[in-house]
Amino acid sequence: MRSSNPVFSRRGFSRDTGGGYAQFDAQQHQQAGAATNPYATNPYATDPTTGMPQAAPHTNAMTMDDVVSRTAMTLGTVVLTATLAWVLLPVDPANLGTSYGIAIVAGLVAFALAMVQAFKRKAVPALILGYAAFEGVFLGVISAAVSTYLGPGVVIQAVLGTMCVFASVLFAYKMGWIRVTRRFYGFVMAAAMGFMLLMVANLLFSVFGGGDGLGFRSGGLGLLFGAIGVILGACFLALDFKQVEDGVAYGAPREEAWLAAFGLTMTLVWIYMEMLRIFSILSGDD
């Protein structure tokens, strides 16, 4: 089960012929004749001891270390370019228009690169790192603007909030408190698409009608939708963790660790932006 919308598709590791997102209950699927390993020579081969789908026979299999290293490179690129943008593109009334223009262009380029990678069947490291670089420029300028007009504490709060969400979801997932199922995946995809449609509608109303549009991103409604955005980001983190877990268990090719890094980076950027909006609204109300 994978979203047909490339913005939400995580381009994950479960390429099963039955169209399933992942093997959520291996025993149940095995009894139904559908517990398959998409990377094995015999896709229906199972381990006689555990009953789980066998790992792929190739030796170039993805490991957790691969995922960690690729994610560190991708997130490191985001942080580096964000820092450079913050230092080299200071935001003040004299160059506010120029700074925002650079941020918009960088954000559009990052979105375009993300879309291209989303449509690709295989990971392209250059596209992923390019996305990370331009996304970092966008985040750096936006964060610098928030720091200039609302105070640096807002940015620090957003960073700490993002880290806390990541750590909390990872802990809950490892403890088994979050169970990623088909129903969970379908609910998250539907909720995310509805959320994005509302945000696009709000943006269009703000562009053509002026002001805050429908008011979804400011005031009390802004806080509510910001919280919803963070919750959706946390759900996407659980989906990312599940795909990484499946990729390692099924012996996905090593290059697909880049896809894991791509998905995790996009999710963390999503959460950071929602956190930044929440704390900006709260700081503006003080």
Side-chain angles (χ1 to χ4, degrees):
M1 185 184 303
R2 183 181 297 138
S3 170
S4 60
N5 187 331
V7 175
F8 299 133
S9 173
R10 316 312 284 170
R11 309 301 291 181
F13 311 109
S14 182
R15 294 190 176 89
D16 50 42
T17 57
Y21 165 74
Q23 310 303 327
F24 303 117
D25 187 344
Q27 184 177 2
Q28 178 181 352
H29 281 261
Q30 182 182 4
Q31 292 172 352
T36 65
N37 179 353
Y39 296 100
T41 303
N42 177 6
Y44 290 91
T46 57
D47 190 309
T49 302
T50 64
M52 294 293 289
Q54 288 181 342
H58 56 74
T59 59
N60 191 34
M62 183 181 76
T63 65
M64 191 61 68
D65 288 342
D66 294 328
V67 175
V68 171
S69 63
R70 299 324 188 260
T71 303
M73 291 175 61
T74 307
L75 283 176
T77 301
V78 173
V79 172
L80 175 62
T81 54
T83 302
L84 290 175
W86 185 309
V87 174
L88 300 178
L89 301 172
V91 177
D92 57 60
N95 66 0
L96 184 60
T98 301
S99 297
Y100 280 170
I102 293 174
I104 292 173
V105 171
L108 290 174
V109 173
F111 176 77
L113 292 176
M115 291 288 288
V116 172
Q117 175 57 71
F119 279 111
K120 292 284 187 181
R121 295 182 61 86
K122 294 184 178 181
V124 181
L127 284 176
I128 295 172
L129 292 177
Y131 155 78
F134 282 100
E135 192 69 63
V137 173
F138 171 77
L139 294 178
V141 174
I142 296 301
S143 299
V146 171
S147 177
T148 299
Y149 291 99
L150 295 178
V154 176
V155 176
I156 296 174
Q157 291 168 344
V159 171
L160 291 177
T162 302
M163 294 172 62
C164 287
V165 171
F166 178 85
S168 298
V169 175
L170 178 60
F171 180 78
Y173 182 84
K174 296 299 291 184
M175 293 295 293
W177 298 343
I178 299 177
R179 185 170 180 266
V180 178
T181 64
R182 289 174 181 265
R183 181 174 299 179
F184 178 88
Y185 175 85
F187 171 79
V188 173
M189 289 297 117
M193 292 182 69
F195 182 85
M196 290 300 295
L197 287 175
L198 284 175
M199 295 306 101
V200 170
N202 186 74
L203 177 62
L204 292 176
F205 271 91
S206 65
V207 170
F208 295 104
D212 295 329
L214 299 175
F216 292 150
R217 305 307 267 167
S218 60
L221 277 178
L223 291 175
L224 174 62
F225 277 90
I228 293 174
V230 171
I231 293 173
L232 284 174
C235 292
F236 273 122
L237 277 178
L239 296 181
D240 292 332
F241 294 154
K242 177 62 177 176
Q243 288 191 330
V244 170
E245 185 179 53
D246 287 345
V248 174
Y250 295 161
R254 178 168 295 166
E255 58 268 20
E256 295 210 12
W258 282 106
L259 294 179
F262 179 54
L264 286 167
T265 300
M266 291 183 66
T267 301
L268 290 173
V269 167
W270 171 307
I271 295 173
Y272 172 76
M273 288 299 297
E274 295 301 325
M275 283 288 186
L276 191 64
R277 184 176 299 278
I278 289 174
F279 288 117
S280 295
I281 294 174
L282 292 175
S283 178
D285 291 339
D286 291 341

